[in-house]
Amino acid sequence: MSRVFSPNVLLGIAPLALVIALWQALVSFGFAPAVLLPPPGFVFSRLLQQLVTFAFQQEIAATLVRLFAGFAIAVVLGVGIGIAAAASPAINAVVRPIVRVLAPLPKVALYPALLLLLGFGHGSKITLVTADALFPILLSTYYGASTVEQKLIWSAMAAGTPRTAILFKVVLPAAMPSILTGCRIGLVISCIVVFLAEMITSTDGLGHALVTAARTFQAVDMFVPLITISLLGLILNALLGALRSYLLRGFPEA
């Protein structure tokens, strides 16, 4: 119980409580009409009603499928390319200019082209999520692998460990803190991008639910998908944080 009410947990809850209190004050004192900004009590009540309906659960499932698929592909590509670039000067020479050009590019600008190539289904949205989540993971992996102490690598080589085995047994574990940090950043980006892609063009998902509610002027139903994707991001980030603590239990900073 003491862990539940620890200072860190309370400090994390305080800003959320402040936002909700400010939201309620704006409505109560008439700064925003209830038609456009419904009271938080109405919104959370509607959220609870929606969560038990099969239709809304399907919207959540569609969003999660795209999010997890895109994020998983980004993790595999980002970690693989990052480790390879750190281990091979030739691969690094090829990857570095590509990253410098594409990393600052807003990937959502590529979405119209993805729609033409992959259509309006899962493929274009998963690809967009992958493209946005890839670079934080790749850069974090490259940084973590590049800063591994040479003494560890020399010791493994002196013991006769093959070069490939060194990557998986020495470099990858040593770079794990940096990799997981990049994954947490990539996960947050994935939540934002999948929601945005569904708002632009989709027939299902939480982003589509928000746009549908906006078109019919259902203000309460507009806020429900927003809160849902925020809660999903919070839960997924907490789960990834727990996984990080488990995987890094032998590291001093963990």
Side-chain angles (χ1 to χ4, degrees):
M1 289 296 291
S2 60
R3 186 179 180 86
V4 175
F5 296 101
S6 65
N8 289 336
V9 173
L10 293 176
L11 286 174
I13 294 174
L16 298 177
L18 182 61
V19 169
I20 294 174
L22 179 60
W23 179 1
Q24 181 63 54
L26 289 173
V27 177
S28 299
F29 292 101
F31 290 105
V35 176
L36 300 178
L37 184 65
F42 288 2
V43 174
F44 287 109
S45 175
R46 180 62 173 164
L47 173 62
L48 294 177
Q49 293 174 6
Q50 291 281 65
L51 286 175
V52 298
T53 64
F54 181 69
F56 194 69
Q57 290 169 4
Q58 284 185 309
E59 306 284 15
I60 295 174
T63 297
L64 288 178
V65 166
R66 294 161 182 154
L67 191 155
F68 285 139
F71 178 69
I73 295 171
V75 170
V76 173
L77 292 178
V79 173
I81 298 173
I83 293 290
S88 170
I91 297 177
N92 185 25
V94 174
V95 171
R96 184 183 291 271
I98 296 175
V99 171
R100 285 179 175 175
V101 171
L102 296 182
L105 178 71
K107 313 305 180 295
V108 71
L110 303 174
Y111 194 47
L114 294 177
L115 290 174
L116 293 175
L117 291 173
L118 303 174
F120 292 85
H122 288 304
S124 58
K125 297 169 184 61
I126 291 173
T127 303
L128 184 63
V129 171
T130 300
D132 264 295
L134 172 63
F135 289 100
I137 300 172
L138 192 160
L139 292 172
S140 296
T141 301
Y142 175 77
Y143 172 78
S146 299
T147 56
V148 175
E149 291 188 18
Q150 284 294 332
K151 293 179 181 178
L152 298 176
I153 299 175
W154 291 336
S155 298
M157 293 175 64
T161 307
R163 185 175 180 83
T164 304
I166 291 175
L167 289 177
F168 288 98
K169 294 182 178 180
V170 178
V171 177
L172 186 60
M176 191 59 67
S178 182
I179 293 172
L180 291 174
T181 299
C183 287
R184 293 187 76 170
I185 297 171
L187 180 61
V188 173
I189 293 174
S190 298
C191 291
I192 297 171
V193 171
V194 72
F195 193 81
L196 179 61
E198 290 174 348
M199 287 181 63
I200 296 173
T201 171
S202 184
T203 57
D204 55 6
L206 292 173
H208 173 260
L210 183 146
V211 172
T212 301
R215 287 172 178 169
T216 55
F217 302 99
Q218 300 293 327
V220 175
D221 288 343
M222 281 177 54
F223 282 88
V224 169
L226 280 173
I227 295 175
T228 303
I229 193 67
S230 299
L231 291 176
L232 286 176
L234 188 65
I235 293 170
L236 293 175
N237 186 59
L239 291 175
L240 188 57
L243 177 63
R244 183 181 189 277
S245 299
Y246 174 76
L247 294 176
L248 301 184
R249 58 192 182 278
F251 286 77
E253 64 270 22

